[in-house]
Each structure stands twice: as C-alpha cells, then as structure tokens.
Amino acid sequence: MLIILFRVLLIYIIVLTYLRLMGKKQVGQMQPYELVITLIMADIATLPMTQTSMPLLFSLIPLTMVVVVHFVVSIIERKSLFMRKIINGKPMVIVSPTGINLDALKELNMTFDDLMQGLRQAGAYKLEDVAYAIVETNGTLSVILKSQNSPVVNKDLKIKQPPTSLPLIIVSCGKLLHKNMDMAKIDEKFLDNVCKKCGAKSYKELVILTLDCSGNVYVQKQNGPAQTFSLKTRGAKW
C-alpha cells in the first residue's frame, strides 16, 4: 500500500510540474494539439499508479517525450504561419451581415442549437443583433454585435472616470496581508475606520477586505452582507 501511495504522489508531482511548464490554460482555451497531449499525459500517468509491477521509468520516459513534443510543436507554430494553420486550423465566420454561413456550420459539425447556445453565452439573444460570429481555433465563439446594439460606454457619452485600478486584498479570512498594506500605504487606523463603518469590532471578523487606488472599499464580515464605500487614502498607486 505504501508503494502505491508513493507512486501516486510521485506521478502527481511530475505531471503537475510538466503541466506548469506547458503553461496555464483552461480546457476550453486549448488548441487541438494541446488537448490531445493533455489526454495522452493523463492516460500514461494512470498506468504506473495501478500497475505496481511496471517500473516508473516506463512512464516517465513517455511523459517526458510528450512534453518535448509539445514544446517542439509550439515552436513550429510560432515560427511558421503555414504550419500554424495546419496544426490549429483557422477561425471561421459562421454569421456575417449577409446571414448564417451554412457551409461553415456543416464543416464545423455545428447545429443551429449549438449556434444559438454560443450566441446566448456571449450575451446575444437574437440573430438580428449579431454582425459577426466567429468560431476560433480553440472552439470558442466570438460575437461582434451590430453597432446599434452595442452597449454604450463612458467614452461615447464623454463621461470622465478615474483610472481603473486592480483592487488589493488587504484582509483575507481575518488575516492581514502586510505586503499589500504597505503597497496601499495604509495603517491600523485605516482598518479601524473600515471596521467602524461595517460594524466589525476587529479586522479579524472580516472575511474579505479589498481596496483600490481611488479609495473604494469592498468589505464583508463573517455572517454579514458585503458592503462598499469610499475612504480617504494617501493616494498610493500600484
């Protein structure tokens, strides 16, 4: 039993390391060759876990070979546009201002139900609202709405807004992130003000506290609703 546990742990660490080296991508973002390589790795990795008579080397060599193949194919597709089209294919327009491209749907083996589901997931609920719908090489559907159906943004209305900043997590599950506090140039007094505003006795009662460059606070205490408000800061930028 200990041998099996050791083999499982070792294979897990090796596969995790290889996947990290290959890059972080969700399944829906993978190119076809990346998905194939991932499935092969999963199949190879299971063999030494269940068959203790098989030497680990018989699994490590194929796994390493698969990773090497991945890097070789990645280099080839980066260097050659022609090979990139062969390996990954090319995006296909399935909806245009002239209507639905039936030939493209047949080539992609898509039904109208698949098309409508993809449009709804992209926030388009009517075909007449869509200017273009494109199936990307990784299988995702990109949708461009007609100009009259596009959402209005602040730029269109000439409304000036403060620059967007990434909020820093100051408190997570009752624990202070001191590095983020230093970056935001805030101190214990600032935390006391936040606690008073949200009705908490201490930051240790907070589940989450985030702060952006404009002084906007998002805070939630245990067994309480989330609250948002603004507090003055030293104007730190990050």
Side-chain angles (χ1 to χ4, degrees), residues 23-227:
K24 293 182 179 180
K25 281 191 178 181
Q26 297 178 7
V27 173
Q29 298 174 331
M30 288 182 176
Q31 298 296 344
Y33 79 92
E34 293 175 318
L35 181 59
V36 169
I37 287 176
T38 303
L39 293 175
I40 291 174
M41 287 183 65
D43 192 40
I44 294 173
T46 56
L47 294 177
M49 293 182 184
T50 56
Q51 300 179 20
T52 56
S53 60
M54 176 186 290
L56 280 174
L57 197 61
F58 284 14
S59 178
L60 296 182
I61 291 176
L63 280 173
T64 304
M65 188 62 190
V66 167
V67 175
V68 171
V69 169
H70 166 77
F71 282 114
V72 171
V73 175
S74 298
I75 293 171
I76 291 173
E77 71 155 353
R78 283 201 303 266
K79 298 291 185 181
S80 172
L81 183 60
F82 174 73
M83 290 302 297
R84 189 185 310 165
K85 289 182 180 179
I86 292 178
I87 295 170
N88 297 333
K90 60 181 181 179
M92 296 188 68
V93 178
I94 57 175
V95 178
S96 66
T98 59
I100 298 173
N101 188 336
L102 297 178
D103 292 334
L105 280 181
K106 290 180 181 178
E107 187 174 342
L108 293 167
N109 197 26
M110 288 181 64
T111 65
F112 285 105
D113 290 337
D114 296 330
L115 172 60
M116 296 306 298
Q117 179 182 350
L119 293 178
R120 289 193 296 270
Q121 290 175 342
Y125 299 94
K126 297 181 181 178
L127 277 169
E128 55 266 32
D129 294 342
V130 178
Y132 292 95
I134 305 163
V135 176
E136 306 293 353
T137 56
N138 60 8
T140 58
L141 185 67
S142 299
V143 177
I144 302 174
L145 298 175
K146 293 179 179 178
S147 56
Q148 62 267 31
N149 300 115
S150 299
V152 178
V153 296
N154 290 327
K155 183 179 178 181
D156 298 326
L157 301 176
K158 298 181 179 179
I159 298 175
K160 291 184 178 180
Q161 291 287 340
T164 302
S165 61
L166 186 66
L168 291 175
I169 298 177
I170 307 300
V171 178
S172 176
C173 296
K175 295 182 179 179
L176 280 179
L177 302 182
H178 295 282
K179 185 177 179 180
N180 289 353
M181 284 185 65
D182 295 338
M183 193 180 298
K185 296 182 179 179
I186 59 174
D187 51 20
E188 298 282 346
K189 185 177 179 181
F190 180 87
L191 292 175
D192 291 339
N193 290 335
V194 171
C195 292
K196 287 179 182 178
K197 252 188 168 318
C198 69
K201 296 179 180 179
S202 167
Y203 68 83
K204 294 182 180 180
E205 295 183 5
L206 304 181
V207 177
I208 185 73
L209 165 60
T210 68
L211 173 70
D212 67 13
C213 290
S214 300
N216 297 315
V217 174
Y218 179 96
V219 62
Q220 181 177 351
K221 65 177 184 176
Q222 296 174 6
N223 303 321
Q227 300 180 49

